[in-house]
Amino acid sequence: MNDFTFSCPTRFVFARGATGRVGAELAAAGHARALVVFGQGSVVRTGTLGRVLASLDAAGVAHAELGGARPNPSVAHVREGIAAARSFQADVILAVGGGSTIDTAKAIALGAPYAGDVWDLFAKKAAPVAEGKPAVACVLTIPAAGSEASDSSVISNDDLLLKRGLSTELNRPELAVMDPELTFTLPAYQTAAGVTDMIAHIMERYFSSVGPVPVTDNIACGLVRALMQEAPRALADPDDYDARANIMWAGMLAHNGLAGLGRNAAPFTRAGGWESHALEHELSAHHAQITHGAGLAVVFPAWMRYVWRSAPERFLSFGRDVFGIEPVDAEADGVDVTAEEAVADAVSATIDELQDFFVSMGMPSTLGELGVTAEDIPSLLGTLEQNKGAEFGDIRRLTMDDARAIYESCL
Ligand code: NZQ
Ligand code: ZN
């Protein structure tokens, strides 16, 4: 178990009807001027935005609004938000939406006190500073990205075809209002993509080069089992409060860092190599219509099939703890397979089960279903190399040739 630091300063208000408490919470924290950021209209249609604004009014928190955060949010929109935050003199950026809206709010908050262009921070040309930075708060409407408590903001630059994450403790929201009833209106595809993203966040940390860390590994596998149990319930009955609530909380636990503690290869770094996220972010950077979780449903199993031989024991333990899959024992079971074949069969069955689960929720299993073809791969590799360098990854270092092979394996 390796050395780590862990801080999760976010205050969670998790309840039916919690939306109506956001104004009082912000006022109690000393905030007086909120820039309310939202997406492309779902919160207007559902009435959530109206309830948030009424709650701010009731608590005496002044507000200005900025709609239009798109899925795979753009830096152009962030720049608009920075101008709005400055002119309104916002002391808190309140996101009402999902990962795309929250990441926009985080980037606005980091960019507001920075004199240069906010993309400098994502390009790592400048470091974000706390001084003069508005706080970030959110009312979460889709459990998926885990941005409600994560240290990351992920923003796309359409001019450069780059999608970049910026991780800093300054990104952790001060307040996350989590009202599971808000997620009843989610389309099945978004519910499924969200659950896929959560499982991916857990697996990126689980499949790291560090050996077993039982306390963390049990949290990880327990979360995956709970998600696999609750997701079909929410898909069958979108108004199932308990299923929605469990999924919502799991999304936070999957990505606030808890599910990887001690699994970090170098002291005080993030656990895992995040290879599948790197491969996916190129897909949704080049094709903004691709839903992040759907892209992960395609590339994660492909990555697993490509690399598992570098850490077979991790894949066996995942199969055992999540699916109850054990390699056959040739002697005891009276079958004619070598030990190596038994391990390969067990790992293969594990990856098949996982992929079947994603597909059972309505997720794609091929790049073709996402509208990505073989002709797209060279340009994906070009920006992947800009983002990750010539080699990346943890349990197995991947070159651009490896990345090409993984993309090609899921055409
Ligand atoms: O834009 P609106 O109209 O609000 O519609 C959204 C959007 O179309 C809709 N939606 C959200 N809540 C709804 C709803 N529709 C009906 N009822 C509701 N209650 O759902 C769609 C997806 O929303 P989005 O915010 O894009 O989803 P998600 O939370 O999956 O965020 C995805 C973004 O987060 C990034 C992804 O790369 C992607 O850009 N990530 C952020 C991370 C982080 N900050 O820590 C980590 C992740 O790995 C991820 O990379
Ligand atoms: Zn993700």
Side-chain angles (χ1 to χ4, degrees):
M1 183 160 181
N2 286 339
D3 301 345
F4 59 85
T5 57
F6 179 55
S7 165
C8 185
T10 306
R11 173 177 167 86
F12 301 102
V13 182
F14 188 104
R16 277 181 210 268
T19 311
R21 292 170 55 173
V22 65
E25 287 283 338
L26 291 181
H31 297 299
R33 301 181 69 78
L35 176 67
V36 181
V37 181
F38 57 98
Q40 302 203 310
S42 74
V43 298
V44 178
R45 292 190 293 278
T46 57
T48 301
L49 182 67
R51 276 184 282 154
V52 167
L53 299 183
S55 164
L56 296 175
D57 288 337
V61 178
H63 51 86
E65 288 82 58
L66 176 80
R70 66 160 206 224
N72 306 309
S74 74
V75 70
H77 191 242
V78 170
R79 291 182 185 124
E80 264 182 63
I82 290 169
R86 285 177 183 158
S87 75
F88 185 65
Q89 296 185 306
D91 57 28
V92 60
I93 315 297
L94 173 62
V96 184
S100 298
T101 301
I102 302 170
D103 287 2
T104 299
K106 290 175 173 179
I108 292 171
L110 291 178
Y114 176 62
D117 178 34
V118 64
W119 187 253
D120 293 349
L121 306 176
F122 288 82
K124 316 288 185 302
K125 288 183 188 156
V129 293
E131 204 183 332
K133 179 190 155 308
V136 173
C138 65
V139 176
L140 185 66
T141 65
I142 170 173
S147 187
E148 62 274 17
S150 81
D151 64 357
S152 307
S153 167
V154 185
I155 299 293
S156 293
N157 185 321
D158 295 346
D159 297 332
L160 304 176
L161 278 181
L162 292 177
K163 185 174 183 183
R164 284 264 168 101
L166 172 58
S167 294
T168 159
E169 289 299 321
L170 298 175
N171 269 333
R172 304 246 191 211
E174 180 180 290
L175 170 72
V177 171
M178 300 172 77
D179 180 348
E181 284 184 338
L182 298 188
T183 69
F184 289 0
T185 54
L186 273 176
Y189 190 80
Q190 289 296 335
T191 300
V195 168
T196 304
D197 192 18
M198 295 171 201
I199 293 176
H201 293 160
I202 296 162
M203 294 196 304
E204 295 279 19
R205 295 173 165 95
Y206 189 92
F207 296 116
S208 78
S209 58
V210 178
V213 180
V215 62
T216 295
D217 295 347
N218 277 296
I219 289 171
C221 291
L223 285 171
V224 175
R225 287 197 305 270
L227 282 165
M228 293 183 69
Q229 180 183 300
E230 299 305 302
R233 293 176 52 204
L235 288 167
D237 177 5
D239 293 357
D240 182 329
Y241 180 85
D242 284 322
R244 292 292 197 185
N246 277 278
I247 292 170
M248 189 175 237
W249 192 239
M252 195 289 293
L253 293 168
H255 198 41
N256 79 340
L258 180 72
L261 297 182
R263 301 205 50 77
N264 38 324
F268 309 120
T269 58
R270 185 190 243 193
W274 292 82
E275 300 86 348
S276 296
H277 268 70
L279 293 165
E280 191 299 306
H281 280 164
E282 300 313 324
L283 301 177
S284 50
H286 288 244
H287 306 269
Q289 82 286 358
I290 292 179
T291 300
H292 171 61
L296 287 167
V298 174
V299 296
F300 216 122
W303 171 80
M304 293 168 87
R305 291 185 207 285
Y306 196 79
V307 305
W308 72 265
R309 283 184 176 78
S310 298
E313 62 294 342
R314 291 305 296 159
F315 289 79
L316 285 176
S317 64
F318 186 79
R320 186 180 305 118
D321 289 354
V322 173
F323 297 110
I325 294 172
E326 295 277 2
V328 292
D329 179 331
E331 212 172 304
D333 299 337
V335 286
D336 185 20
V337 291
T338 65
E340 289 76 26
E341 286 167 344
V343 167
D345 288 347
V347 171
S348 182
T350 298
I351 302 169
D352 288 347
E353 287 274 353
L354 181 74
Q355 190 153 35
D356 287 351
F357 172 70
F358 292 153
V359 169
S360 76
M361 293 194 298
M363 287 288 95
S365 59
T366 63
L367 289 177
E369 291 164 82
L370 295 170
V372 176
T373 66
E375 288 74 60
D376 296 317
I377 293 177
S379 64
L380 298 176
L381 295 173
T383 46
L384 179 67
E385 188 164 4
Q386 279 185 58
N387 278 325
K388 306 303 288 184
E391 277 190 19
F392 67 105
D394 181 14
I395 63 171
R396 172 169 165 188
R397 300 291 288 168
L398 299 175
T399 64
M400 291 305 120
D401 284 340
D402 293 320
R404 178 186 296 108
I406 294 171
Y407 283 135
E408 286 176 352
S409 75
C410 42
L411 279 170

